[in-house]
Every structure is written in structure tokens, then in C-alpha cells.
Amino acid sequence: MGLLTAAVVIVGALCVIDLLLTVGVIRRLREHTELLAGTTQRVVAGGPMQLLEEGTQVADFAATTTDGEPISREMLPAMSVVAFFSPGCKPCGAMIPPFVEYAATLPGGRAQVMAVVVGDTGQSGAYADLLTPVARVVTEGFEGQISEAFKSRTYPALYVLDGEGKVVSSGTEMTVLPKPSMR
């Protein structure tokens, strides 16, 4: 009888230890889920966040907007805002409404803003529709000309360019954009 009691106590202790370990794993998984949900950007193809730094010259590019207009680096006026978004990127979806509101206040209107929707062209339509009233919109794949010119692999990404195509500021938050009244 003593042997049976000892076996039950050992099995009970092992179950309690297993339960404690399972609770610990669940707690860590929740922490990681919260960290991932709170991420401010989506990085494609792994690696660190990639943004062109202040003073960097953007490479030449030529593309056609969703409205059929040609667009190139040379056609962008001074203090142009260039934004990169990708469908399926939660931070991108959250940033589009405040970005549209911001772009609507710019004195240069659509001519001063270019939005690039990067990814599957079948999924890009919803973002393009939201951005078209306030920006010249280009949709392209991850290896598109504009993405290559900006070496864009981080979404969302925001840039302000001077009249010569040099980066004035860049980042993944709206705070990198100058206040419209300061233009």
C-alpha cells in the first residue's frame, strides 16, 4: 500500500510541475503576441528596418500612377511627401486615415504627395482608392522601380524630399512629416 501511495504522490507532483510549466509557456506566448501586435512596421524579406537617411539622393525612377499619369523623381516638387504602404500590414492600415487627413492639408495638393502601395496588385486596390483623392498613387510589386529607388523594405515608410530628390526626413511615424502650416 505504501508503494501505491508513493506512486500517486509522484504522479501528482509531476502533474503539478507540468501544469506550472504550461502556464509559464502560455504567459510567454501572450507577451510575444502583444509585442508583435504592437510593432510599428512590417519588414519584408527579414533583416533590420531599412530607410534612406537624411541627405541621401533617391535613385531615378519612372512609373505610371493608377490614374495613368507618368511620374518620376524629377517630377516631384520640393518638399514632396512620399509614403510606402503594403496591404496586409496592420500598421499601414492604421496609418492611412491620419496620412490622408495630413495630405489633404498640404498647400500643394495631390502634386506634393506620392503614395506607393507595394505588394500583390490584387490587394492594393483598397489602399489605392483611399489614397487617390490626396496623392498620386502607384501600385507595384516588392521589386518595383520606386521600391528599388528608395531601397524600400519597411512598411509603412514616410519620406520628405527636397526639389532635387534628396531625403529631408524619413521614418515610420507621422512625426517625421513637417507641419503643413510650416510650408
Side-chain angles (χ1 to χ4, degrees):
M1 191 66 147
L3 187 59
L4 183 60
T5 303
V8 169
V9 169
I10 290 173
V11 168
L14 288 174
C15 287
V16 169
I17 291 172
D18 183 52
L19 182 62
L20 290 173
L21 289 173
T22 302
V23 168
V25 167
I26 290 171
R27 183 175 294 148
R28 288 291 277 182
L29 285 173
R30 284 186 180 156
E31 289 174 9
H32 285 278
T33 300
E34 289 172 8
L35 285 172
L36 289 172
T39 210
T40 58
Q41 74 270 348
R42 174 183 177 197
V43 179
V44 177
M49 181 169 58
Q50 270 189 289
L51 293 171
L52 294 179
E53 295 179 8
E54 186 176 317
T56 304
Q57 179 72 44
V58 175
D60 288 331
F61 63 85
T64 303
T65 68
T66 55
D67 293 335
E69 304 171 40
I71 192 165
S72 66
R73 188 192 73 198
E74 293 79 27
M75 296 173 75
L76 296 174
M79 298 307 286
S80 288
V81 174
V82 179
F84 288 84
F85 300 103
S86 181
C89 162
K90 286 184 183 180
C92 294
M95 184 181 282
I96 286 180
F99 179 79
V100 167
E101 186 177 316
Y102 170 84
T105 65
L106 294 176
R110 287 182 81 232
Q112 195 172 352
V113 183
M114 180 175 74
V116 183
V117 183
V118 181
D120 179 15
T121 53
Q123 297 177 342
S124 301
Y127 279 13
D129 291 344
L130 292 169
L131 294 162
T132 297
V134 296
R136 294 179 288 174
V137 179
V138 176
T139 59
E140 65 179 18
F142 291 107
E143 304 296 323
Q145 261 195 48
I146 301 174
S147 293
E148 292 299 318
F150 281 83
K151 297 178 180 26
S152 179
R153 297 291 180 267
T154 302
Y155 307 100
L158 302 170
Y159 293 94
V160 177
L161 303 181
D162 68 9
E164 298 170 3
K166 287 186 182 172
V167 176
V168 174
S169 65
S170 65
T172 60
E173 300 288 332
M174 294 286 293
T175 56
V176 303
L177 302 176
K179 300 216 181 305
S181 61
M182 300 178 89
R183 293 191 184 244

